[in-house]
Amino acid sequence: MPSSPTSAIQPAVQNLLDRSWLALVARVAVALPFLLSGIAKLVDFGGATAEIRGLTGLEPAALFALLVIVTQLGGSALLIAGGCYAWVGAAGLAGFTAMATLLAHAFWLKPAAERFLHQNIFFEHVSIIGGLALLAILSSRSSRGAGL
């Protein structure tokens, strides 16, 4: 009985997936937007405060901007570092993304001209939340065994 085409490449794929550097690259890739955003907000705190105020209307905007920076940088650092607390970083970034998405991209509340844009952003962020949740799950599982 001939083997399937996928069975021939499965060992090579498994070998690649078992590489620790690939897990690090994946964690960096997922954390990168949060890391860059946190650094940009830290460098331009006035702009970060204006962004919070403009997108969400939350006050005191400076306090919320500071919380966003801490969440983005701290969550990114924990996620990138891996190990037993990577799930904390992934879960924190997922929670932050969920709250920010609901506050800033509630497409059902936007004017018709902006609705399509915010709907796309909203569902892109849902995808990011799903990826972060998956990283949290895998990190939690692997912290009990091999590292992710």
Side-chain angles (χ1 to χ4, degrees), residues 28 31-43 72-73 76 80:
V28 169
L32 193 58
F34 298 100
L35 185 61
L36 295 175
S37 178
I39 292 169
K41 285 174 175 62
L42 188 61
V43 170
Q72 288 183 322
L73 295 180
S76 295
I80 291 169

Side-chain angles (χ1 to χ4, degrees), residues 34 52 55-56 58 68 72 93-110 117-130 132:
F34 298 100
I52 296 291
L55 284 175
T56 67
L58 292 174
V68 167
Q72 288 183 322
L93 292 172
F96 160 74
T97 303
M99 288 177 28
T101 301
L102 288 171
L103 289 170
H105 302 292
F107 61 90
W108 55 92
L109 300 175
K110 301 294 182 184
L117 170 68
H118 285 279
Q119 183 177 354
N120 284 339
I121 294 169
F122 182 93
F123 287 109
E124 287 171 355
H125 287 178
V126 168
S127 176
I128 292 167
I129 293 165
L132 286 163

